[in-house]
Amino acid sequence: MTGYAASSCEIATDSGVFACQWEIRSVNGRGLDLRFRLPDWLEGLEPALRKRLPEVIKRGHVTTSLRVTRREHSEETASESPDHSAVHGLNGQALDAALALLRKIETHAAAHHLTLQPVSAADILAMRGVIDSGPDLSAAAPLVAALLDHATPLIADFDANRAAEGAAMAQVIDRQVITIAALVHEARAAASERRMDQHIALKSALQRLQETAPHVEAGRFEQELALIAVKTDVTEELDRLEAHIAAARLLLAAKQPNGRKLDFLMQEFNREANTLCSKSQNPKLTRIGLDLKTVIDQMREQIQNLE
């Protein structure tokens, strides 16, 4: 189900003041797919959100984004800059590895009578891993705790947004169920009218068969025509459609996520409508069956967006 919520907050910690912008958005999906775009230095934030979100969301592709910047204050102005809670220093192991690699290169070059340019300290510092710039996790911990507090009303707003859309969608689906019920009622009347016409047609066919094949027993003809009548009877299909209508209304009225159950029910609706069309042998009944398939397909598309 689609949903959206966003919020901003400002959090003061011992390490400074941080400006945060949250956003949660979702689109429909068969299962629950949680995706996060969070600062990687905020350790523990993603696992906590992965635990909280499934408590209110059961289905859909959900993306949670967070942007955090640290505010630098002076006496006259307050400027915004990217987070500076990182610490910088030399990575001893990486430095030893870099120096060993340089010595190996110089030795190999000398063996081939090659002279290399002197390597400066700046060149060594530019080598990958020599400068250790990692986040100050001790400063991040209180910020993560505050962010989780701010995430609580954000998730509630997101859930409320989805609930409002779901309620509007349920009204649309309920009207489609009413349309299906009316078509099934119309199909029963058409099937009843067809029964009389079919009886006359079968009786006429029996007379013609007896005239063209008098050596065949009349009982055999009657058996074959009875089988035709049974195969074209749509009473069971209409009964099952009415049962599906009742089930759909119960699921729509339930105060819990039933998107998957309704999705499966749509398959059953469609199966009965297809069988109705294949058995109809009557223009009016065929038209009703096609109308049923159209409404069922529209209803299925709406249900794909429900949780």
Side-chain angles (χ1 to χ4, degrees):
M1 180 185 294
T2 58
Y4 179 81
S7 68
S8 299
C9 61
E10 191 170 271
I11 300 172
T13 70
D14 293 340
S15 300
V17 178
F18 297 86
C20 312
Q21 291 81 41
W22 283 101
E23 183 180 85
I24 305 180
R25 61 175 68 240
S26 68
V27 295
N28 60 298
R30 284 188 172 273
L32 179 59
D33 177 25
L34 298 178
R35 303 177 184 181
F36 297 91
R37 297 173 181 171
L38 311 173
D40 55 9
W41 56 274
L42 292 174
E43 186 177 355
L45 182 59
E46 180 175 332
L49 291 173
R50 283 192 178 277
K51 184 178 179 180
R52 288 190 183 185
L53 286 170
E55 295 175 357
V56 297
I57 307 166
K58 306 301 180 185
R59 192 183 189 196
H61 299 287
V62 184
T63 300
T64 303
S65 303
L66 171 65
R67 182 172 179 266
V68 178
T69 56
R70 181 177 176 180
R71 296 191 182 280
E72 298 292 343
H73 296 279
S74 66
E75 294 181 358
E76 297 180 355
T77 62
S79 61
E80 183 176 303
S81 64
D83 173 70
H84 290 108
S85 61
V87 293
H88 300 274
L90 288 176
N91 185 318
Q93 291 182 345
L95 178 60
D96 290 342
L99 293 174
L101 180 61
L102 288 173
R103 284 193 296 269
K104 185 176 181 180
I105 293 173
E106 289 175 349
T107 302
H108 192 70
H112 289 78
H113 307 290
L114 297 174
T115 302
L116 302 178
Q117 291 288 339
V119 179
S120 67
D123 294 330
I124 297 174
L125 290 175
M127 297 179 71
R128 183 186 297 273
V130 174
I131 292 294
D132 185 8
S133 58
D136 184 355
L137 298 181
S138 63
L143 179 59
V144 169
L147 284 168
L148 287 173
D149 288 340
H150 283 276
T152 299
L154 174 72
I155 294 172
D157 289 344
F158 175 69
D159 190 42
N161 179 267
R162 294 167 73 250
E165 181 172 342
M169 202 176 299
Q171 292 180 356
V172 173
I173 295 172
D174 187 61
R175 289 194 294 269
Q176 290 169 334
V177 172
I178 292 173
T179 301
I180 291 173
L183 287 170
V184 170
H185 180 76
E186 187 179 352
R188 281 200 184 277
S192 180
E193 294 173 4
R194 186 200 64 168
R195 191 175 294 112
M196 182 60 67
D197 295 338
Q198 191 178 43
H199 178 74
I200 296 172
L202 290 175
K203 187 174 181 179
S204 176
L206 177 59
Q207 292 176 349
R208 291 196 302 271
L209 287 171
Q210 288 175 334
E211 292 173 358
T212 56
H215 59 284
V216 180
E217 295 182 3
R220 177 64 183 276
F221 287 127
E222 292 174 353
Q223 289 176 359
E224 293 298 325
L225 292 175
L227 287 174
I228 293 173
V230 170
K231 289 180 179 179
T232 58
D233 183 62
V234 295
T235 302
E236 289 186 8
E237 286 70 28
L238 295 176
D239 288 344
R240 282 194 287 267
L241 281 169
E242 288 185 341
H244 297 337
I245 290 168
R249 285 172 170 163
L250 286 175
L251 290 173
L252 287 171
K255 302 299 182 182
Q256 61 185 21
N258 281 318
R260 290 184 178 179
K261 292 180 180 179
L262 284 166
D263 196 17
F264 173 77
L265 192 59
M266 288 303 97
Q267 300 177 34
E268 301 303 308
F269 266 111
N270 198 53
R271 182 179 291 111
E272 302 305 333
N274 284 333
T275 307
L276 179 65
C277 289
S278 66
K279 284 186 173 184
S280 69
Q281 296 187 1
N282 176 273
K284 186 176 181 179
L285 199 54
T286 299
R287 190 266 305 165
I288 295 171
L290 292 175
D291 289 345
L292 271 171
K293 285 173 61 66
T294 299
V295 179
I296 289 168
D297 190 59
Q298 293 171 348
M299 187 173 166
R300 182 188 61 81
E301 290 181 1
Q302 293 291 342
I303 285 173
Q304 291 294 318
N305 295 319
L306 284 181
E307 182 177 303

